Amino acid sequence: MAETKDVFAQEPHPVEDDLFKEPTRKRRKSDRDQRFRAFPSVEQSSLKEYEKLESRTRRVLSNTYQKLIQSVFLDDSVPNGVKYLINRLLALIEKPTLDPIYIGLFGSTGAGKSSLINAIIQQAMFLPVSGESICTSCVVQVSSGCCVQYEAKIHLLSDQEWREELKNLTKLLHRMEELGGAEADAWNRDEAVEEATWKLQMIYGNGAESKNYEELLKAKPKGKIPTCRVITLKAEEAEELSIKLDPYIRTQRRDWHGEAAEMHIWPLIKHVEVTLPKSDLIPEGVVLVDIPGTGDFNSKRDEMWKKTIDKCSVIWVISDVERVSGGRAHEDLLNESIKACQRGFCRDVALVVTKTDKLHLPEYLRERKAGNQAIQSQREAVLERNEMIKLQRTRILKEKLERKLPADFNVLEASDLVYTVSAQEYWQQALLTEEETEIPKLREYIRKSLLDKKRRTVTKYVTEAFGLLLLTDSVNSTQKLPNEYLHVSDLRRFTEEKVELLEKAIAQCFACMERPLKEGVRTARTSYRGILRACLVRSKGNQGFHQTLKAVCLRNGIYASRTLARIDLNEALTQPIYDQIDPVFGSIFRTGKPAGLALMPHLDAFKYSLQEKMMEIGIRSGWKYDSCKKNFLIQEISAILGGLEDHILRRKRRIYESLTTSIQSDLKLCYEEAAQITGKKACERMKDVIRRGVDQQVAEGMFERAQERMQHQFQQLKAGIVEKVKGSIATMLALASSQGDGLYKELADVGSEYKEMEKLHRSLREAAENARLRKGMQEFLLRASPRKAGPRRTSL
């Protein structure tokens, strides 16, 4: 029942069809206990406390829900107040226990993403690994669950999605007979052509690259494609599943001539979900995501690539120790990760330097400048070099983050921005101890993230449930409230005034974007030709670039390859604007103390002002009889604005990307015209069409239109916030102003459920105190325990 999940709809809780819906059954205790296997005993105790609190709260809510349903079951019409209570109860009962924490491992070819995941989950060769070539060919999600077997679900492109890609691939491979010999050779060496040829041969066999779109639609694929477009693999052991999974997710070599049927559908794979049973290392609720570094030529896979990045709350940028010191690919990955903080849900970015056991000792000693202490072994050199990398890269990364993000952004306060890991040494421990490989440190980070989120989620859940039970119990009160009745009319007038002030505050927040947008547009107008020239020029001229450029045009300005750097003309053209707006945009959507630029603190201030007004009215009126209603209102305002925060975060991405979306829309006809060009000098002619098209659009106000569209998105968000706040609070106040007869005169008695909920609310505070005591004891034991010594084996 989607409607009941959205407290901001015009009718917040319409339940005509689903009023008598059965709540989802709770998880069995034995299954719940399996979720804690990855945690040390101290953390397990804390988690079990919170899990028990949540489970008991759901049971109380479910009992209350059933009683209310039975009260109104035979009625032709149900009063609005009762509908509100029933829907709020059902929404809380069916609220997910914990939204998954997505941790994205984001890196380029050969960086060691798969090897790192294998080490974290303690399965040496589970995902395919290889020294330099591309191994993982798509987005792969790895998580643990309460399943008995190892399981993988391989999601394929739909028939329509593959037809779209097939059409673009055949357009890309089309060449005219009038091509000269030199141009034909360059065409054949083009990376985009090689990949397109390779994909068609994998699906349809040799010679497919010479057939047109209509012929390939009639051709029979070499591999078997399930109609449901999902392939499910299961196995008792990890190694068994790994063998079954390998052909689907490993990028096949272009000289491969095998006959395994599953390999023939590799280009159709969209993404893969792998579930481990009852992991002792990765807790349920955490998803590790292996993300290729550049996206994909297929528009759906590329869209999913970007959405996957945006839904990650944590991004680890993975970089080989020998490549971490520079290079465009590394910078592109960092920039994309920082953008995820701006447009998505990402709250933490870290650099994970892999393969840190690699070091040529004679060369290192010759170039070593720091320190007076002599290096006695390979191990000492590796540890010293790793520490230097941490210090240097932490400073560089922090400076980069500070330029792009608000000063109070959480990641800037992180104790660890850089990790130096070695998956190989984790298994061998010839030079480093297990702790020094920092794999355990990453696991600890994962556990801590989940534990912190669980505490916050359960605290919010129990508090919200308590407020709802307060009101549910109070509506059955038959006492009259002559002089001590809650002055809802006063509160309504006060709320109207505060909503007007909130609307003005939001407008002021969004108005702060106007100046940097104008500055960015001015810079973009003066620099776009140089940016376009840099995007369209290659060091070797047009050799090997003809069809890559055509691929860019077929995808409306974007080309993502598995081996080359991502090309996005729309993003490149808007980068001068983003450079200007990024700090301000980040400040608007930050959390923290109220400030002129920040949106969320204004919503918090609005919430606190309403709650304070309730307390003031309550003190003036005595609250002798209506304290339940007061407490409900205070809790319900928190719930309403908490849901509003999620709504804002979802809209944030659309606003941030509106600049590039606008540019792409304005240049669409230009790209389409360029994509049709074939024959002699096609590459130069395509470039000319693109240049002229961009010049024309800039002259007609392309950048100014992008600015206007972003500002319009901000205005829509402001209007949406105000409308949702007004509607939700009006419904809430109407409910609060109702006496017993305004709700329902003969609702079932829920006094016992209220008393149980009151106990749970007290237990919540006790659980928080117990968690603090356990944490203090754990820190003391860690400080008191001896450190593990390094391996005895060392090599000079």
Side-chain angles (χ1 to χ4, degrees):
M1 186 172 72
E3 303 98 308
T4 64
K5 307 286 172 57
D6 183 5
V7 297
F8 308 113
Q10 285 293 326
E11 297 180 5
H13 300 286
V15 290
E16 301 296 342
D17 298 330
D18 293 333
L19 187 62
F20 307 109
K21 180 178 176 181
E22 284 290 329
T24 306
R25 293 186 181 274
K26 65 181 181 180
R27 185 194 295 264
R28 292 181 302 175
K29 183 177 185 298
S30 58
D31 290 340
R32 294 198 307 269
D33 289 344
Q34 295 294 341
R35 304 177 69 193
F36 309 135
R37 292 171 53 133
F39 292 89
S41 58
V42 172
E43 294 176 353
Q44 281 192 28
S45 299
S46 181
L47 277 168
K48 286 179 180 178
E49 269 192 282
Y50 281 99
E51 189 83 0
K52 186 177 179 180
L53 275 172
E54 182 188 351
S55 177
R56 290 172 62 188
T57 299
R58 287 185 190 275
R59 185 182 63 198
V60 172
L61 291 172
S62 183
N63 291 341
T64 307
Y65 174 85
Q66 294 295 341
K67 283 187 175 182
L68 292 187
I69 286 294
Q70 290 171 10
S71 297
V72 300
F73 185 72
L74 298 177
D75 283 27
D76 295 330
S77 62
V78 181
N80 287 335
V82 178
K83 287 182 186 179
Y84 186 93
L85 290 176
I86 289 175
N87 278 278
R88 289 288 286 114
L89 284 166
L90 184 59
L92 273 177
I93 292 166
E94 297 197 333
K95 194 172 186 178
T97 301
L98 189 71
D99 291 330
I101 296 176
Y102 289 90
I103 299 179
L105 284 77
F106 192 34
S108 48
T109 303
K113 302 185 298 296
S114 298
S115 296
L116 181 56
I117 290 178
N118 289 341
I120 291 173
I121 66 175
Q122 194 77 17
Q123 300 289 346
M125 297 297 291
F126 188 72
L127 297 181
V129 297
S130 176
E132 297 298 329
S133 61
I134 309 170
C135 275
T136 310
S137 59
C138 59
V139 171
V140 179
Q141 299 183 2
V142 180
S143 61
S144 69
C146 288
C147 54
V148 178
Q149 294 179 305
Y150 290 84
E151 183 176 303
K153 288 187 177 180
I154 300 152
H155 299 264
L156 307 181
L157 293 172
S158 69
D159 186 60
Q160 183 59 38
E161 289 166 351
W162 172 244
R163 284 170 180 256
E164 177 192 330
E165 180 167 7
L166 183 62
K167 184 177 291 184
N168 284 335
L169 292 174
T170 51
K171 284 180 180 179
L172 197 59
L173 293 174
H174 179 71
R175 61 179 169 183
M176 301 295 290
E177 293 181 358
E178 62 266 23
L179 276 175
E183 287 182 308
D185 289 342
W187 185 89
N188 283 321
R189 288 193 298 270
D190 190 287
E191 195 275 343
V193 170
E194 288 182 1
E195 183 156 335
T197 301
W198 180 34
K199 285 183 176 180
L200 293 183
Q201 288 177 348
M202 287 290 290
I203 298 291
Y204 301 107
N206 291 334
E209 70 277 11
S210 62
K211 296 180 181 179
N212 61 34
Y213 174 66
E214 288 73 19
E215 290 173 328
L216 290 175
L217 281 180
K218 299 174 184 177
K220 183 179 179 180
K222 295 176 70 177
K224 185 179 179 180
I225 302 172
T227 54
C228 64
R229 297 288 173 162
V230 177
I231 300 170
T232 301
L233 306 175
K234 294 184 178 181
E236 296 293 333
E237 301 294 334
E239 185 178 359
E240 182 186 353
L241 182 67
S242 178
I243 293 170
K244 291 181 179 180
L245 184 61
D246 188 280
Y248 292 101
I249 63 175
R250 182 188 290 273
T251 300
Q252 306 303 327
R253 299 189 310 273
R254 300 187 185 184
D255 58 354
W256 173 83
H257 298 291
E259 291 299 327
E262 57 268 26
M263 295 183 181
H264 293 299
I265 65 169
W266 167 80
L268 297 177
I269 296 174
K270 196 172 185 178
H271 71 283
V272 174
E273 296 175 337
V274 180
T275 306
L276 314 175
K278 308 175 185 122
S279 173
D280 290 332
L281 300 169
I282 300 300
E284 183 182 350
V286 172
V287 183
L288 300 176
V289 191
D290 187 338
I291 308 175
T294 57
D296 195 275
F297 178 65
N298 176 272
S299 60
K300 294 299 179 183
R301 271 197 296 254
D302 196 60
E303 180 183 350
M304 200 201 74
W305 172 81
K306 185 165 279 191
K307 285 184 176 179
T308 300
I309 295 172
D310 288 347
K311 75 180 180 182
C312 291
S313 54
V314 178
I315 292 180
W316 291 341
V317 179
I318 313 299
S319 184
D320 186 329
V321 68
E322 294 180 347
R323 304 179 190 177
V324 73
S325 296
R328 177 183 169 184
H330 176 72
E331 288 301 310
D332 288 347
L333 292 171
L334 282 176
N335 289 334
E336 191 67 37
S337 302
I338 293 172
K339 284 181 181 178
C341 293
Q342 296 280 28
R343 67 176 184 242
F345 291 90
C346 183
R347 289 292 175 270
D348 198 357
V349 175
L351 173 63
V352 179
V353 185
T354 58
K355 307 178 186 179
T356 55
D357 56 290
K358 293 197 299 187
L359 181 141
H360 186 247
L361 186 57
E363 182 178 338
Y364 177 76
L365 292 175
R366 186 177 66 248
E367 296 180 355
R368 181 172 176 261
K369 298 176 182 178
N372 298 319
Q373 186 176 356
I375 292 293
Q376 301 295 327
S377 66
Q378 180 91 1
R379 165 185 159 76
E380 291 180 4
V382 167
L383 291 173
E384 182 183 76
R385 190 275 316 271
N386 290 353
E387 189 61 31
M388 289 174 59
I389 288 176
K390 277 194 173 188
L391 293 172
Q392 293 170 358
R393 301 314 300 181
T394 295
R395 177 179 53 80
I396 294 171
L397 179 56
K398 193 164 187 176
E399 288 175 356
K400 193 175 188 69
L401 292 169
E402 286 173 343
R403 288 196 302 270
K404 292 287 187 177
L405 301 175
D408 60 353
F409 206 84
N410 292 341
V411 69
L412 296 174
E413 303 300 323
S415 57
D416 292 300
L417 282 176
V418 178
Y419 298 87
T420 52
V421 305
S422 172
Q424 180 171 312
E425 275 299 299
Y426 175 77
W427 300 110
Q428 296 179 357
Q429 295 187 32
L431 290 173
L432 305 176
T433 66
E434 182 175 303
E435 288 77 12
E436 288 165 347
T437 67
E438 299 206 346
I439 300 297
K441 196 171 185 179
L442 293 178
R443 288 183 187 144
E444 182 184 0
Y445 174 90
I446 292 170
R447 291 196 305 269
K448 184 178 181 299
S449 297
L450 186 69
L451 183 58
D452 290 346
K453 186 171 183 179
K454 182 67 175 178
R455 286 171 179 160
R456 292 194 305 270
T457 302
V458 173
T459 298
K460 182 179 178 182
Y461 186 77
V462 174
T463 303
E464 190 174 344
F466 181 51
L468 191 56
L469 261 293
L470 281 170
L471 181 67
T472 307
D473 182 57
S474 73
V475 299
N476 279 331
S477 173
T478 58
Q479 287 184 294
K480 302 299 180 182
L481 311 174
N483 299 320
E484 297 159 356
Y485 169 62
L486 171 62
H487 300 290
V488 174
S489 58
D490 290 349
L491 188 57
R492 184 176 288 111
R493 286 192 296 272
F494 179 80
T495 300
E496 290 171 356
E497 294 172 2
K498 287 297 180 180
V499 168
E500 289 181 9
L501 292 176
L502 176 64
E503 186 172 6
K504 291 179 181 177
I506 294 172
Q508 289 174 354
C509 284
F510 294 166
C512 296
M513 288 292 297
E514 186 173 350
R515 183 174 178 180
L517 272 170
K518 286 183 177 179
E519 289 294 328
V521 165
R522 189 178 298 113
T523 306
R525 287 185 65 89
T526 58
S527 61
Y528 79 90
R529 285 195 176 95
I531 293 171
L532 196 60
R533 190 182 309 113
C535 292
L536 298 179
V537 172
R538 291 293 178 268
S539 58
K540 296 181 180 179
N542 294 335
Q543 183 178 350
F545 188 57
H546 169 202
Q547 295 300 96
T548 296
L549 183 56
K550 188 169 187 177
V552 170
C553 296
L554 286 170
R555 279 287 319 282
N556 292 322
I558 301 171
Y559 177 64
S561 160
R562 299 178 192 278
T563 55
L564 298 180
R566 183 180 178 88
I567 300 173
D568 190 334
L569 296 184
N570 312 301
E571 194 171 276
L573 289 169
T574 53
Q575 192 56 50
I577 307 179
Y578 282 115
D579 289 341
Q580 291 290 331
I581 70 169
D582 273 352
V584 179
F585 189 92
S587 295
I588 287 174
F589 291 100
R590 71 183 177 184
T591 56
K593 296 179 180 179
L597 294 181
L599 171 62
M600 306 310 291
H602 285 296
L603 292 173
D604 288 338
F606 173 74
K607 175 181 71 175
Y608 297 140
S609 67
L610 290 187
Q611 292 174 339
E612 286 174 2
K613 186 66 175 179
M614 290 174 194
M615 295 302 298
E616 176 193 323
I617 293 175
I619 292 171
R620 192 169 68 239
S621 304
W623 290 118
K624 183 176 179 181
Y625 296 111
D626 223 10
S627 60
C628 292
K629 204 167 281 186
K630 172 213 63 171
N631 289 330
F632 162 76
L633 290 173
I634 289 175
Q635 298 295 343
E636 198 69 358
I637 287 173
S638 295
I640 288 171
L641 296 182
L644 185 58
E645 182 176 348
D646 293 336
H647 168 78
I648 291 169
L649 289 175
R650 287 193 297 271
R651 289 294 302 270
K652 182 175 72 165
R653 182 188 181 204
R654 188 186 307 174
I655 295 173
Y656 190 78
E657 293 184 338
S658 63
L659 293 176
T660 52
T661 302
S662 176
I663 298 299
Q664 186 178 49
S665 175
D666 286 354
L667 294 177
K668 184 173 173 48
L669 293 178
C670 164
Y671 291 137
E672 290 176 353
E673 180 184 351
Q676 299 300 318
I677 295 174
T678 58
K680 295 181 179 180
K681 306 287 184 183
C683 192
E684 280 304 323
R685 288 158 54 205
M686 280 192 288
K687 289 180 182 179
D688 288 341
V689 168
I690 293 171
R691 291 189 193 102
R692 289 198 305 272
V694 174
D695 281 341
Q696 180 181 345
Q697 289 298 322
V698 171
E700 294 174 359
M702 178 177 73
F703 292 121
E704 287 78 8
R705 284 193 298 274
Q707 174 188 344
E708 291 169 3
R709 287 164 180 164
M710 176 173 270
Q711 290 175 317
H712 179 66
Q713 290 276 351
F714 273 112
Q715 291 304 312
Q716 284 186 320
L717 177 59
K718 183 194 75 171
I721 291 172
V722 173
E723 181 181 349
K724 292 175 190 299
V725 167
K726 283 182 178 179
S728 298
I729 292 184
T731 302
M732 183 189 69
L733 292 179
L735 178 63
S737 65
S738 302
Q739 298 295 309
D741 57 348
L743 289 165
Y744 196 79
K745 293 181 180 178
E746 298 179 1
L747 285 179
D749 181 15
V750 294
S752 60
E753 284 77 14
Y754 164 68
K755 290 179 181 178
E756 176 68 14
M757 197 65 242
E758 194 174 30
K759 292 178 183 176
L760 292 173
H761 195 249
R762 286 198 301 269
S763 298
L764 181 67
R765 294 193 294 270
E766 294 172 5
E769 180 61 30
N770 290 340
R772 283 192 290 270
L773 291 172
R774 290 192 190 100
K775 184 178 180 181
M777 179 60 71
Q778 187 178 36
E779 290 173 350
F780 171 77
L781 292 174
L782 284 173
R783 289 193 300 269
S785 62
R787 295 178 62 87
K788 186 177 178 180
R792 292 182 180 179
R793 281 189 296 160
T794 56
S795 56
L796 292 173

